[in-house]
Amino acid sequence: MTRLHLFDMDGTLLHGTSAPVEISRQLGLEAETVALDQAISAGLIDPPEYAAQVYSLWAELTEAHVAAAFEAAPWLARIREVWAEIRRAGDYCAVVSLSPSFFVERLTGWGAHATHGSRFPAVPFTEPVDPAGVLTAAAKVRIADELCRKFGVTRADCVAYGDSLSDLDLFGAVPVSVAVNADSHLSGLATHSYMGKDLWDAYELVCQAR
Protein backbone atom coordinates (compact mmCIF):
# COMPACT_ATOMS: atom_id res chain seq x y z
CA MET A 1 0.00 0.00 0.00
CA THR A 2 1.45 3.33 -1.10
CA ARG A 3 1.11 6.11 1.47
CA LEU A 4 1.09 9.89 1.23
CA HIS A 5 2.64 11.60 4.27
CA LEU A 6 1.37 15.16 4.74
CA PHE A 7 3.46 17.43 6.96
CA ASP A 8 2.54 20.74 8.52
CA MET A 9 5.56 23.02 8.94
CA ASP A 10 5.07 25.68 11.65
CA GLY A 11 5.29 24.05 15.07
CA THR A 12 5.67 20.63 13.45
CA LEU A 13 8.82 20.55 11.32
CA LEU A 14 9.83 23.82 12.95
CA HIS A 15 10.11 23.36 16.71
CA GLY A 16 8.28 25.95 18.80
CA THR A 17 8.17 28.62 16.12
CA SER A 18 6.82 29.56 12.71
CA ALA A 19 8.36 30.59 9.42
CA PRO A 20 7.01 34.17 9.74
CA VAL A 21 8.61 34.52 13.19
CA GLU A 22 11.94 33.25 11.85
CA ILE A 23 11.73 35.58 8.85
CA SER A 24 10.82 38.54 11.06
CA ARG A 25 13.70 37.72 13.39
CA GLN A 26 16.03 38.63 10.53
CA LEU A 27 14.39 42.08 10.40
CA GLY A 28 14.31 42.69 14.16
CA LEU A 29 10.51 42.26 14.17
CA GLU A 30 10.22 38.98 16.04
CA ALA A 31 8.04 40.29 18.89
CA GLU A 32 5.46 41.75 16.51
CA THR A 33 5.13 38.45 14.66
CA VAL A 34 4.97 36.34 17.82
CA ALA A 35 1.98 38.49 18.80
CA LEU A 36 0.36 37.77 15.43
CA ASP A 37 1.00 34.03 15.88
CA GLN A 38 -0.73 34.18 19.26
CA ALA A 39 -3.67 36.07 17.76
CA ILE A 40 -4.25 33.60 14.94
CA SER A 41 -3.81 30.62 17.30
CA ALA A 42 -6.51 32.10 19.53
CA GLY A 43 -8.83 32.66 16.58
CA LEU A 44 -8.70 36.44 16.96
CA ILE A 45 -7.61 36.96 13.36
CA ASP A 46 -8.00 34.77 10.28
CA PRO A 47 -5.27 33.65 7.85
CA PRO A 48 -5.86 36.44 5.27
CA GLU A 49 -5.61 39.10 7.99
CA TYR A 50 -2.49 37.45 9.36
CA ALA A 51 -0.93 37.42 5.89
CA ALA A 52 -1.77 41.08 5.34
CA GLN A 53 -0.15 42.06 8.63
CA VAL A 54 3.07 40.10 8.15
CA TYR A 55 3.27 41.43 4.60
CA SER A 56 3.19 44.98 5.99
CA LEU A 57 5.98 44.10 8.42
CA TRP A 58 8.18 42.75 5.62
CA ALA A 59 8.48 45.88 3.48
CA GLU A 60 12.31 45.62 3.64
CA LEU A 61 12.46 41.85 3.16
CA THR A 62 15.08 40.48 0.77
CA GLU A 63 15.89 37.00 -0.51
CA ALA A 64 18.99 37.06 1.68
CA HIS A 65 16.79 37.48 4.77
CA VAL A 66 14.65 34.52 3.72
CA ALA A 67 17.69 32.31 3.09
CA ALA A 68 19.19 33.25 6.46
CA ALA A 69 15.89 32.55 8.24
CA PHE A 70 15.63 29.13 6.63
CA GLU A 71 19.18 28.17 7.54
CA ALA A 72 18.97 29.40 11.14
CA ALA A 73 15.50 28.03 11.93
CA PRO A 74 15.14 25.33 14.64
CA TRP A 75 14.17 22.42 12.41
CA LEU A 76 13.46 19.00 13.87
CA ALA A 77 16.33 16.56 13.46
CA ARG A 78 16.41 14.01 10.62
CA ILE A 79 13.77 15.55 8.37
CA ARG A 80 15.80 14.72 5.27
CA GLU A 81 16.43 11.18 6.51
CA VAL A 82 12.71 10.59 7.05
CA TRP A 83 11.82 11.86 3.60
CA ALA A 84 14.59 9.78 2.02
CA GLU A 85 13.18 6.70 3.77
CA ILE A 86 9.65 7.56 2.62
CA ARG A 87 10.93 7.76 -0.95
CA ARG A 88 12.89 4.49 -0.55
CA ALA A 89 9.69 2.77 0.59
CA GLY A 90 7.87 3.98 -2.52
CA ASP A 91 5.68 6.40 -0.57
CA TYR A 92 5.19 10.15 -1.05
CA CYS A 93 5.75 13.14 1.24
CA ALA A 94 4.41 16.67 0.98
CA VAL A 95 4.41 19.83 3.08
CA VAL A 96 1.21 21.85 3.34
CA SER A 97 1.54 25.05 5.36
CA LEU A 98 -0.26 28.34 5.84
CA SER A 99 3.13 30.08 5.77
CA PRO A 100 4.44 31.88 2.67
CA SER A 101 5.12 29.65 -0.31
CA PHE A 102 8.50 31.32 -0.89
CA PHE A 103 9.69 29.74 2.38
CA VAL A 104 7.84 26.42 2.20
CA GLU A 105 9.10 25.71 -1.33
CA ARG A 106 12.68 25.52 -0.06
CA LEU A 107 11.80 22.15 1.46
CA THR A 108 11.69 20.52 -1.97
CA GLY A 109 15.48 20.62 -1.76
CA TRP A 110 15.26 18.40 1.31
CA GLY A 111 13.30 15.70 -0.48
CA ALA A 112 9.61 16.64 -0.32
CA HIS A 113 7.69 15.49 -3.40
CA ALA A 114 5.48 18.59 -3.19
CA THR A 115 5.11 21.76 -1.14
CA HIS A 116 2.16 24.11 -0.79
CA GLY A 117 2.07 27.42 1.08
CA SER A 118 0.14 30.67 0.99
CA ARG A 119 0.85 32.54 -2.22
CA PHE A 120 2.88 35.69 -1.60
CA PRO A 121 4.44 37.94 -4.24
CA ALA A 122 8.11 37.42 -5.03
CA VAL A 123 10.67 38.92 -2.65
CA PRO A 124 11.41 41.83 -2.55
CA PHE A 125 7.73 42.78 -2.71
CA THR A 126 6.58 44.97 -5.57
CA GLU A 127 2.90 43.99 -5.47
CA PRO A 128 0.36 43.29 -2.71
CA VAL A 129 -0.48 39.91 -1.25
CA ASP A 130 -3.68 38.44 -2.70
CA PRO A 131 -6.03 37.23 0.09
CA ALA A 132 -7.40 34.60 -2.29
CA GLY A 133 -4.01 32.88 -2.32
CA VAL A 134 -3.78 32.57 1.47
CA LEU A 135 -4.36 29.03 2.72
CA THR A 136 -6.73 28.05 5.53
CA ALA A 137 -7.26 24.90 7.56
CA ALA A 138 -9.98 23.82 5.13
CA ALA A 139 -7.62 24.41 2.20
CA LYS A 140 -5.27 21.79 3.61
CA VAL A 141 -7.93 19.15 2.99
CA ARG A 142 -8.52 20.41 -0.55
CA ILE A 143 -4.79 20.31 -1.28
CA ALA A 144 -4.54 16.84 0.23
CA ASP A 145 -7.23 15.66 -2.19
CA GLU A 146 -5.35 17.26 -5.10
CA LEU A 147 -2.16 15.49 -4.03
CA CYS A 148 -4.02 12.18 -3.73
CA ARG A 149 -5.10 12.51 -7.36
CA LYS A 150 -1.60 13.48 -8.41
CA PHE A 151 0.05 10.52 -6.71
CA GLY A 152 -2.68 7.96 -7.36
CA VAL A 153 -3.73 7.39 -3.75
CA THR A 154 -6.82 8.13 -1.66
CA ARG A 155 -7.49 9.78 1.69
CA ALA A 156 -7.42 6.28 3.18
CA ASP A 157 -3.72 6.11 2.28
CA CYS A 158 -2.77 9.40 3.97
CA VAL A 159 -0.89 10.15 7.16
CA ALA A 160 -1.04 13.70 8.55
CA TYR A 161 1.52 15.28 10.87
CA GLY A 162 0.57 18.52 12.64
CA ASP A 163 0.47 20.49 15.86
CA SER A 164 -2.37 22.99 16.03
CA LEU A 165 -5.77 24.36 15.02
CA SER A 166 -4.74 24.70 11.37
CA ASP A 167 -4.38 20.90 11.22
CA LEU A 168 -7.76 20.12 12.75
CA ASP A 169 -9.67 19.65 9.50
CA LEU A 170 -6.95 17.51 7.94
CA PHE A 171 -6.71 15.28 11.02
CA GLY A 172 -10.44 14.71 10.71
CA ALA A 173 -10.20 13.81 7.04
CA VAL A 174 -7.48 11.11 7.09
CA PRO A 175 -7.33 7.82 9.00
CA VAL A 176 -3.85 8.16 10.51
CA SER A 177 -2.42 11.26 12.17
CA VAL A 178 0.53 12.17 14.35
CA ALA A 179 0.29 15.08 16.79
CA VAL A 180 3.83 16.52 16.92
CA ASN A 181 4.47 18.75 19.95
CA ALA A 182 0.80 19.59 19.62
CA ASP A 183 -1.38 22.05 21.48
CA SER A 184 -4.79 21.37 23.05
CA HIS A 185 -6.69 21.77 19.75
CA LEU A 186 -5.60 18.29 18.68
CA SER A 187 -6.09 16.57 22.04
CA GLY A 188 -7.73 13.20 21.59
CA LEU A 189 -7.88 13.48 17.79
CA ALA A 190 -4.54 12.04 16.72
CA THR A 191 -3.78 8.38 16.17
CA HIS A 192 -0.31 8.94 17.63
CA SER A 193 1.31 11.66 19.72
CA TYR A 194 4.96 12.66 19.80
CA MET A 195 6.83 15.17 21.95
CA GLY A 196 10.42 15.85 21.02
CA LYS A 197 12.80 17.21 18.41
CA ASP A 198 13.47 14.27 16.09
CA LEU A 199 11.13 13.63 13.17
CA TRP A 200 12.39 10.08 12.76
CA ASP A 201 10.94 9.16 16.16
CA ALA A 202 7.54 10.57 15.14
CA TYR A 203 7.68 8.75 11.80
CA GLU A 204 8.51 5.47 13.54
CA LEU A 205 5.22 5.61 15.44
CA VAL A 206 3.46 5.22 12.11
CA CYS A 207 5.83 2.53 10.84
CA GLN A 208 5.50 0.42 13.98
CA ALA A 209 1.72 0.51 13.76
CA ARG A 210 1.65 -0.44 10.10
Side-chain angles (χ1 to χ4, degrees):
M1 180 183 70
T2 301
R3 277 181 156 178
L4 169 59
H5 297 259
L6 299 159
F7 295 89
D8 171 56
M9 184 180 67
D10 299 328
T12 303
L13 300 177
L14 284 171
H15 185 262
T17 189
S18 68
V21 168
E22 296 306 306
I23 292 167
S24 293
R25 194 189 310 278
Q26 299 296 319
L27 298 168
L29 297 168
E30 176 187 359
E32 290 87 340
T33 311
V34 167
L36 289 175
D37 274 14
Q38 292 170 343
I40 195 170
S41 294
L44 300 177
I45 59 174
D46 62 12
E49 176 62 21
Y50 180 96
Q53 293 204 38
V54 292
Y55 173 87
S56 68
L57 289 176
W58 294 342
E60 305 301 320
L61 188 64
T62 67
E63 190 62 30
H65 290 129
V66 178
F70 187 89
E71 290 300 319
W75 298 100
L76 260 59
R78 296 198 284 182
I79 293 173
R80 280 169 278 201
E81 288 84 350
V82 168
W83 292 350
E85 177 59 22
I86 287 172
R87 284 176 170 268
R88 187 203 64 75
D91 291 343
Y92 298 98
C93 54
V95 182
V96 185
S97 170
L98 273 57
S99 276
S101 54
F102 61 74
F103 192 95
V104 184
E105 287 164 0
R106 290 174 172 266
L107 290 169
T108 57
W110 285 13
H113 286 94
T115 60
H116 289 265
S118 293
R119 290 197 309 273
F120 271 64
V123 176
F125 299 144
T126 57
E127 55 187 275
V129 62
D130 181 1
V134 177
L135 299 188
T136 63
K140 286 192 172 189
V141 178
R142 172 180 56 77
I143 291 168
D145 286 339
E146 291 172 1
L147 291 170
C148 283
R149 289 191 291 272
K150 177 179 179 179
F151 296 125
V153 299
T154 69
R155 285 190 188 182
D157 307 312
C158 291
V159 182
Y161 303 75
D163 75 303
S164 66
L165 183 61
S166 71
D167 304 301
L168 193 63
D169 289 5
L170 186 58
F171 272 41
V174 303
V176 181
S177 55
V178 185
V180 180
N181 298 313
D183 63 24
S184 60
H185 291 106
L186 300 183
S187 295
L189 288 177
T191 313
H192 308 284
S193 183
Y194 171 73
M195 298 291 289
K197 298 183 180 181
D198 192 325
L199 187 63
W200 189 276
D201 294 338
Y203 172 66
E204 279 197 324
L205 294 173
V206 175
C207 296
Q208 291 166 0
R210 195 163 184 170

